[in-house]
Every structure is written in structure tokens, then in C-alpha cells.
Amino acid sequence: MNPSLATLDELSTLGALGNLGTEVRRHLNYTLGHHVKNADQRYLYRALALAVRDRLVGQWLETQTRMADKASRKVFYLSLEFLIGRSLCNSVHNLDLTDDARAAMHEYGKGLEETAENELDAGLGNGGLGRLAACFLDSCANLQLPVLGYGIRYEYGMFHQRLENGRQVEDPDHWLRDGNPWEIERPEDTRRVRFYGRSELYYDADGVHHSRWVDTHDVVAVPFDMPIPGFRNKTVNTLRLWKSTATDAFDLGEFNAGGYSEAVAAKNMAEQITMVLYPNDASENGKELRLKQQYFLVSASLQDAIANWKQNNGKDLTKFGKENCFQLNDTHPACAVPELMRILMDEHQMSWEEAWDVASCSMAYTNHTLLPEALERWSVALFSRLLPRLTEIIFEINRRFLKEVEAHWPGDADMKRRLSIIEEGDNPHIRMAYLSIIGCFSVNGVAALHTELLKSGLFADFYELWPEKFNNKTNGVTQRRWLAHCNPGLRKLITEAIGDSWEADLSSIEQLKPLAKDASFRKKWAAVKAENKRRLADYVFENTGVQFSANAIYDVQVKRIHEYKRQLLNLLHVVHLYDRICRGDSEGMIPRCVLVGGKAAPGYFIAKLIVKLINNVANVVNNDERVGDLLKVVFFPNYRVSAMEIICPGTELSEQISTAGKEASGTGNMKFMMNGALTIGTLDGANIEIREKAGAENFFLFGLDAAEVPVTRQNYNPNELIAADSDIRRVMEMLEGGVFNVGEPGIFDVLLSGLRNPQDQWLTIADFRSFIDAQQAVNEAYKDQEHWNEMSILNSASSGWFSSDRTIAQYADEIWNVQPVPHA
Ligand SMILES: *Cc1c(COP(=O)(O)O)cnc(C)c1O
């Protein structure tokens, strides 16, 4: 067949390609120059990935044409992070190629899963926020929405975590080491991004004055596209990741004082921008390079979106805002507001008013946290040196905004000071959240409680000014990765019971509810969990050398290590169980395997010390003969997406124990629920909605709620609580007596004195009694396995709301105003 006669659609079918096995052989041999016999695992992975990618390309091109032709409005998801993980099995499953891929690998004596293990995680994110962006793209493709992701192609992703004497050590993550078969470089769409220099005024031929940004240091942004396949729907969306490189002019122009070698060396400065992901979750560090990354992403992406729009609609940008929407994943890309203003005014000669009409109707902001240390603020001094023209624009946005404040609260100088984008002082700062609220038409929180707290607390004044901007979009996760792919046993069982429609639309999983009462179904459900526990136990053993026994409760807390998430509270409970065992008070105690995992930000001293304490406690407990199989504790190293894919199916108890009011939503909680774990948790973030959907009787609740937390803080006396409760007292005595730091005197003192401090932000001791009691309720509930399995089924069956498909459908309806553009 002459390929030029084929439509794009036809190219995507098997007609133009050989069978998958043939294609794997061809890539192994011709693309990779490899022997077909005794193929090295990593080459086999690459060949399979390339063969699968070939299957995506036709649908990918067709989707681009379809979206360009038919979408009346387009959405761009701007995020500094996309925590993708692996792509092979996701693509294979979404394209329904599992049997073909399995057969192709069989020829080499390999399994599909075994081969897939060779893919390095794309760890271009820290935790929940980055993983959310990845789930969202998957859901947008599933719903056939015209949404493009824009991000940064970090050369080094999230660091690799290793333990040395129980302490975290960070190693660089060179995930591109073996190349990335999922990306395609698009040099034709290269964009130029400017930094430094100064802003100057000039008059055009008609005597109208304008600003321009001159004497800049320029960097080039080169896009790499990754395919985002929908679920068996012939739609493949795009994630466009930018890499920074030097311009020729930059080398020779700016550095012409030096010689050739100096000019080449200058290339490094440009390439640094996308070299490494900042490993801070829920905290900001104010580094200039980080601001460069933010502006680099924003400027390249806006230029790209505008260039694309002009290709179809011509030079006039007055309608650009009506037909395009930018969703800002937290304030990290908040420069988009002034940058779009700059482009429209300085490069397209729009007036301020015209430009503001376009910009302010095209931007939407998602807030992810209430923690003050995570709210981005940039020093005006730094910002104006790096982005002088943007700084002018931000000040003008603020000047006009403060006039609105004056109109609403006449004569209230304090209100102006409080709401100003500029935080005044010796070293004035730009508040990026305020810039975002002012510049965006939508501000959303990520769980019902979180949105209410935004409206009543952090952003209360803005809520009074613009109530219509505020809305909630409770987070979700994709059931394709977090149930169908990671839990094949449960996928099969669910599909046998209710059909497979839940993979495209999770609301149908509620059909499982009546089966919770069916003893034979419960038995099958339990068998799948037992197999997943075995798989998890093997994985734990490989990675830690600790043996988990089959009959224990698998009790798991995996997430970034942070004080507000209270891994310490979990550990206090472990020490309490250990204390009971040591005292011979273990009657009726069900064996427990406690797994904790997560990375600490490299500069977060307390979090790193918590990692060390967990490891020290594990070391003592696991080596004490009196304990035996009753209690095992491990710190699982290098927690990441591919680890979670094995951990969550094998988990029975999901620990979601943050101080109420601190966890915006959580998404780990949803992955566990889908996979039939029961939650022990506080009334925080999406836990509240999980409990509502699952039923209070299928959830282990404990602790203060968000209203009680600030009241308790007012006269919090942890020492009194410790003295009054013998269980708590003994736990503190063990810890303070140095049982877990023999030969390392005093190393945990800051943690322990923190627990006793009346100023303890996290109220750990306040919730400890209630936590012990809830854990005891878990212990009792587990004794009735029939009932436990019933609760487990009901949790899975109630998880439909927590599909990111539901979340994205709401974004599309209520914020973006975009419709699906389905394949005919
Ligand atoms: C889901 C996920 C998270 C988010 O977990 P939370 O418990 O919601 O904080 C973080 N990291 C990875 C690798 C994940 O898969």
C-alpha cells in the first residue's frame, strides 16, 4: 500500500505495521543495532516501547488534527511537575495490546511485567501535586478533551533515596540515561525566552508610547512531546516538556569578550535551567534558578499556544482569551498572568484594558495548600532583576487592584496593606497567590474542606470581594493506573462480576456493593488481597531484607515525609505496640506489618530525623526475639510511583493521619481505597469525602477536627496529657530513655521535645490517645475477616467519586467550558 494514500487514521491501524512481535524484532535489529538472540533486557524493553509507540503515532497525529479542526476552545495545563512514573504498561493496556505484547516477549523467554521493570520512572515531580497532573492528563485523554500539558523536561528528576545507617542519602536521578523512547523532539517549535536586561519606553510612528524589554540574555526552549493515550478511544493527547539550551547569539554576542571556549562554556548557563527538579514538597526556597524555571515554562508555553492559535485564526488576538484557557497547577506558573499581558501589550500593541480582558478571562488557578511556608513569595529585588518588564506589569496590576479595594472598603488602609500583591517591608515581596487570585477568573481548592478553609481563612477577603471566582474540585486518581494496571487480580475479579465499563467510567464500580454480602465473592476478594500481600511481602524483602508474614495486618503510610502528615504519630503507635509486647500485654493482638515510606526534602532537617527514627525503631523491634511475628516495621526506601503500584494493592490499612486542616486533599488515600484498603484517618482533606462515600461504619476515624484544632492550640499542654495516660507515658519513657538510640545519645531530642512543646503545631500528643483507640478498633475488626472483607469491598465499591475522570469532567464543565472532541 502506498502510505501517501492512507489517511492518518489508517496508519494507526495494524494494516501499516507488522504484528507487534515483528515490530519488536525490527526495532531491536535495525533501530537499536542489536542481536535478536539473547537480547539484553534493557534493549528488549526499548524495542517493545518503540513498537508500542509506533502504534500510538497515527492516533496521535489524527488527534492533533481533530482537536485543531473541531475544538472551539482549548485548555493548557501548566505545571512545574508531572510525576508520570512508567509508561509502557499504561500504553499497552490503553491500546489493548496486552496479549500481543506478552506474546512478543514470550519469544525471548521474558514476561511483559519483567520487561516493563526495565523502564526508569519519569519522576518529574515531588508527590501529590505532580502525580495529580499526570492523572489529570490521563483523564483528559480518556474523556477526549482538547487539553495539552505543558511542563519542564528536567534532566534529573526527583532524587533517588538511599539509606545509610538509617539516614536518608540523596543520589541524582539521571532518568534519561538510557534515552527516552516516549518522547519526540520538535525543534521546529523552538521558542526564545528572555531574562535580565531592562524595560524601556519608546514612541511608535503614531506617537503612541509602548514599553519594550531590551538588553536581555536569551535562552532557547526546545519542546519534547510525550504521547498521552486515552483508554481504547483512538485519542492520544500530548504532554509538551521544554528543555533549555543556549542560543548562538547568546554564546557569541554576550560573551564576545571571551574566546571561543568561554562562549561554549556559556552554554551551561542556559542548560542549567532545566537541569534539575527542586525536591521541595509543600515548601518554597526562593532560589533564583527556581524562578527562572517558572518563567521559562510559562513564557515558552504561552508563546507556543499563541503561535498555534495565530496559525488558525490570524494575527488578531482579541478572541484569544475566549478560546483558550490556562489552568495553573498551584502558583508555580503564576508568571503566566503578567507574561500574557506583556505579550499582548508589548508584542501585539494592545492597550492595557484590551490585554486585561484577554488575560483575565483565560487563566484559572488551583490552590494546593494552606501551609504558610508553601505560599510562594518572591523578593521584588530578585524578581525585578530577572524579569524587569514583568515586575512593572505586576505593579500596575496591583495599582489598579488597590483602586478596587478602595472602592469596596473605602478608607481602609489596613485592608489595602493586607491584600496588596506586594508585601511591604525592608525587603518587599511579591505574593504569588494574590497575583493568581487577582489575575484568574477561577480559584479552586482540591477537597471540600480545603475550599471552605480557603474561603473562610487564607483568602477570606478575596472571597468577600469575588465570591463567584471560588469553587471546589475534589482531587481524583486514574483508575486505569491505580486499579486496572496495578492490581490485575482485582481487575479480573471486578470485571467478571460487573463487566469492564468501570475502566472508562468508575461510577459503575458501585455495582459491587451488593456483592459485599455474597460470601463466595468475599472469598475471591480475600484471595486476591492475599496474593497482593504476597507480592508486596516479596518486594519488601527484596528492598529491606525484612520478612512480612502472610497473616499480619499490612499497615501502610507512604507519602512525603512532613511534620503535618505526622509519620511521628504513626511511629508512636508502633512504639506503643512494642511496649505492650515487651510487657507481655499482647493478648488478642493481631500481628502487624507496618510499612512507612517517603522522601524528605534534602534541606528539611526534622523530616530527615524522622526517617532516622523510623529506621532505628524498626531495627530494635525487628531484632527483638520477644516480638517475633507480632510486629514488623520497615522504612521502604525510594518511594515512587512504580513502588506505589505494588504497595497499594497489598495494603489493608491506609494511614491518613495528618493534623486536621493541614492536608489539602491527599490522593494516596484514594488509591488505597480503590484497592480495598480501609482507612484510619482524621477528618482532613478528602478523607472526609472518603468517609462519607464509604460510610462512617467502614472507616476508622480518630482525632481532632479542623474546628477543634485551633481551639486546642490555645491551651495545649502535652506534658499533662502524657503524665495522665500511662500508655502514652511509657511510650515517651522508652523514646526518651534512649531505647532506640543506643550509642547515638541525644540524636532524637529535638523530635521528642517537639512533642512535649505546647507550641507543637501538629498536636501529635493531643491525638495520640484517640489514635491508639482507633488502632485497637482496627485490631478487633480484623478478627472478623468476613466483616473486614465486606468493609473492604464497600470501600472499593464506593470509590467511584475519586476517579480523576470525575474531577476532570467537573473542571471541563465548571471552569474550562470545553466539550469532548470524540473520534468519529
Ligand atoms: C499518590 C502519590 C503521592 C501522594 O500521596 P499523599 O498520600 O496524597 O501525600 C505521592 N507520591 C507518590 C509516588 C504517589 O504515587
Side-chain angles (χ1 to χ4, degrees), residues 83 121 125-129 131-132 135 281 477 482 557-560 564-565 639-645 655-656 663 665-672:
L83 188 47
D121 279 38
N126 274 282
L129 174 150
R131 182 55 231 176
L132 185 76
C135 282
D281 184 70
V477 301
W482 295 116
Q557 186 179 25
V558 285
K559 47 183 74 251
R560 288 300 291 258
Y564 85 81
K565 292 177 183 276
Y639 174 59
R640 60 199 187 282
V641 170
S642 59
M644 185 55 160
E645 289 171 1
E655 300 268 354
Q656 307 299 337
E663 186 76 88
S665 165
T667 50
N669 47 4
M670 302 169 184
K671 299 166 198 166
F672 286 116

Side-chain angles (χ1 to χ4, degrees), residues 49 83 109 358 452 822:
L83 188 47
V358 173
E452 288 312 307

Side-chain angles (χ1 to χ4, degrees), residues 462-508:
F462 286 103
Y463 180 60
E464 184 178 337
L465 202 51
W466 298 311
E468 68 286 356
K469 285 194 187 190
F470 288 78
N471 65 95
N472 177 247
K473 296 288 167 284
T474 298
N475 283 167
V477 301
T478 168
Q479 71 273 21
R480 266 89 49 195
R481 181 178 295 263
W482 295 116
L483 182 52
H485 156 68
C486 74
N487 198 339
L490 213 54
R491 176 184 67 211
K492 187 159 168 287
L493 180 58
I494 295 170
T495 295
E496 280 166 9
I498 63 167
D500 65 2
S501 65
W502 60 273
E503 288 206 49
D505 174 5
L506 194 65
S507 63
S508 64

